[in-house]
């Protein structure tokens, strides 16, 4: 496995454009000295700021693992206890996109949460779109609206939420279809597209054409009102475009159970503790090296693999497809790195999906 790290010369190159905060420069040196499995870069968005600048973008409030357990104890969510899987265990590698090619368009739809802390809604809307497609064998290949999930289930969605909320909302009230900002993305415009603009998120700017967070074109966002009507030109009404499911919500904890839950029904929503060194991620298999905690961030598990003898999860982020590894990142698997195996959520694999109209 290639372990590429940013050289001090590269750090100096960034510094020539904008001064690197001394604490961040020191952090990058610590990362390099540790010879990690991932690439680090001092990026223009955070170069002049101390580590921890991403805190306001971490939208999972509180301890999601404890929250999910409390939901199980209350009878609101069912604990996934595995399936009659092959006794030799999960395969060494698994990718939902390849396993369910009829739903690859949804699974590989990397979205953009803008400068808003609604990762909890994006992770749920994305994974629910995938599981709906998989459960219906590709008949319902529709992106569920993060706009609906984020701002209807929670009036201050940009202020954060929990990873059980999207599933409870979709099951109880349904969610309309929704594409990316101004119809960008693979599905074009749907009923309720995300209304906040694309942003460049952390990491090297590279070919990312979007403005960085906090700059003109990507200001800090407040939560808009819950949508009540489809966009102009979309056929059908808001009420008739609602998608929902029956059959229950599940959660899983630990590597083996999470793998089985994914193989049974598709991608799932999870969350992990973001440490400030993750702000410098530019590819590779992430593991925490240096820096304090910034907060909790929700994402989508799509599969796993092994690289150079190191087990990893493949994770879809909601920071646009230019970030990280084409919108994805990898993180060490089997050690509960950053509590990413502490609790995942998703609809039951046997859930029955339907559309109001």
């Amino acid at each position: 496995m290639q372990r590429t790290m940013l050289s001090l010369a590269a750090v100096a190159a960034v510094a020539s454009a904008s001064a690197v905060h001394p604490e961040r420069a020191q952090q990058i040196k610590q990362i390099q000295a540790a010879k990690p499995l991932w690439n680090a870069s001092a990026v223009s968005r955070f170069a002049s700021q101390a580590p921890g600048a991403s805190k306001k973008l971490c939208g999972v409030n509180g301890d999601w693992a404890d929250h999910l357990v409390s939901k199980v104890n209350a009878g609101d969510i069912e604990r996934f206890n595995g399936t009659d899987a092959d006794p030799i265990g999960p395969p060494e590698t698994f990718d939902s996109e390849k396993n369910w090619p009829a739903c690859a368009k949804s699974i590989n739809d990397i979205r953009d949460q803008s400068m808003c802390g609604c990762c909890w809604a994006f992770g749920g809307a994305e994974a629910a779109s995938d599981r709906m497609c998989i459960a219906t064998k590709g008949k319902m290949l529709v992106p569920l609206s993060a706009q609906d999930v984020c701002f209807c289930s929670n009036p201050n969605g940009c202020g954060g939420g929990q990873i059980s909320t999207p599933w409870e909302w979709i099951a109880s009230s349904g969610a309309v279809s929704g594409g990316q900002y101004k119809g960008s993305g693979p599905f074009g415009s749907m009923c309720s597209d995300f209304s906040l603009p694309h942003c460049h998120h952390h990491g090297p700017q590279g070919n990312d054409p979007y403005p960085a967070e906090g700059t003109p074109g990507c200001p800090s966002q407040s939560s808009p009102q819950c949508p009540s009507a489809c966009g102009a030109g979309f056929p059908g009404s808001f009420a008739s475009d609602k998608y929902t499911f029956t059959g229950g919500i599940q959660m899983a904890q630990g590597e083996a159970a999470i793998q089985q839950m994914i193989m049974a029904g598709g991608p799932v929503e999870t969350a992990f503790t973001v440490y400030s060194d993750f702000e410098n991620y530019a590819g590779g298999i992430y593991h925490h090296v240096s820096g304090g905690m910034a907060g909790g961030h929700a994402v989508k598990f799509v599969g796993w693999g092994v690289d150079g003898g190191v087990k990893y999860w493949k994770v879809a982020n909601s920071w646009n497809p230019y970030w990280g590894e084409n919108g994805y990142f990898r993180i060490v698997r089997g050690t509960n790195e950053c509590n990413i195996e502490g609790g995942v959520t998703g609809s039951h694999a046997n859930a029955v999906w339907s559309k109001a109209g």
Side-chain angles (χ1 to χ4, degrees), residues 11 16 19 72 74 103 130 182 213 220 265 268 340:
V11 174
S16 65
V72 170
C103 301
D130 301 342
K182 291 187 176 180
E213 299 154 345
S220 180
V268 294
I340 200 164

Side-chain angles (χ1 to χ4, degrees), residues 158-278:
C158 285
Q162 267 295 345
I163 65 173
S164 63
T165 303
W167 304 94
E168 293 171 323
W169 174 255
I170 295 169
S172 63
S173 301
V176 298
S177 61
Q180 298 191 32
Y181 179 64
K182 291 187 176 180
S184 57
F187 289 93
S189 289
M190 305 297 289
C191 175
S192 184
D193 298 341
F194 197 58
S195 65
L196 306 183
H198 287 294
C199 297
H200 165 64
H201 299 273
H202 318 329
Q205 186 84 25
N207 295 323
D208 191 340
Y210 304 122
E213 299 154 345
T215 63
C218 187
S220 180
Q221 299 288 345
S222 57
S223 300
Q225 290 186 336
C226 166
S228 59
C230 294
F234 184 81
S237 69
F238 193 85
S240 67
D241 195 55
K242 287 278 187 175
Y243 293 83
T244 188
F245 67 90
T246 59
I249 303 166
Q250 293 186 316
M251 69 86 77
Q253 293 179 303
E255 178 187 11
I258 293 171
Q259 288 177 309
Q260 290 179 14
M261 187 170 171
I262 293 172
M263 289 191 296
V268 294
E269 181 177 15
T270 189
F272 71 108
T273 300
V274 173
Y275 291 93
S276 62
D277 61 351
F278 189 69

Side-chain angles (χ1 to χ4, degrees), residues 80-333:
F80 179 86
N81 290 316
T83 63
D84 295 327
D86 190 321
I88 65 173
E92 183 175 69
T93 63
F94 185 88
D95 192 321
S96 294
E97 180 183 359
K98 295 178 181 177
N99 195 64
W100 292 288
C103 301
K105 184 177 180 180
S106 173
I107 295 166
N108 198 37
D109 181 15
I110 299 295
R111 307 195 200 182
D112 190 340
Q113 68 184 77
S114 191
M115 195 172 179
C116 168
C118 59
C119 57
W120 59 273
F122 271 77
E126 293 167 14
S129 302
D130 301 342
R131 294 179 79 86
M132 177 175 71
C133 180
I134 291 166
T136 61
K137 301 186 186 306
K139 294 179 181 178
M140 289 186 175
L141 178 54
V142 177
L144 298 180
S145 171
Q147 185 85 1
D148 184 333
V149 174
C150 188
F151 307 120
C152 295
S153 70
N154 182 346
N156 185 26
C158 285
Q162 267 295 345
I163 65 173
S164 63
T165 303
W167 304 94
E168 293 171 323
W169 174 255
I170 295 169
S172 63
S173 301
V176 298
S177 61
Q180 298 191 32
Y181 179 64
K182 291 187 176 180
S184 57
F187 289 93
S189 289
M190 305 297 289
C191 175
S192 184
D193 298 341
F194 197 58
S195 65
L196 306 183
H198 287 294
C199 297
H200 165 64
H201 299 273
H202 318 329
Q205 186 84 25
N207 295 323
D208 191 340
Y210 304 122
E213 299 154 345
T215 63
C218 187
S220 180
Q221 299 288 345
S222 57
S223 300
Q225 290 186 336
C226 166
S228 59
C230 294
F234 184 81
S237 69
F238 193 85
S240 67
D241 195 55
K242 287 278 187 175
Y243 293 83
T244 188
F245 67 90
T246 59
I249 303 166
Q250 293 186 316
M251 69 86 77
Q253 293 179 303
E255 178 187 11
I258 293 171
Q259 288 177 309
Q260 290 179 14
M261 187 170 171
I262 293 172
M263 289 191 296
V268 294
E269 181 177 15
T270 189
F272 71 108
T273 300
V274 173
Y275 291 93
S276 62
D277 61 351
F278 189 69
E279 296 166 1
N280 308 309
Y281 178 80
I285 302 176
Y286 175 77
H287 52 95
H288 174 49
V289 175
S290 173
M293 183 174 67
H297 180 53
V299 288
K300 181 179 75 171
F301 271 149
V302 300
W304 58 86
V306 179
D307 187 348
V310 179
K311 299 193 304 181
Y312 66 83
W313 293 107
K314 181 181 178 183
V315 192
N317 205 349
S318 53
W319 290 350
N320 87 44
Y322 295 94
W323 177 87
E325 297 181 332
N326 297 317
Y328 294 89
F329 69 95
R330 290 176 291 163
I331 187 170
V332 171
R333 170 169 57 92

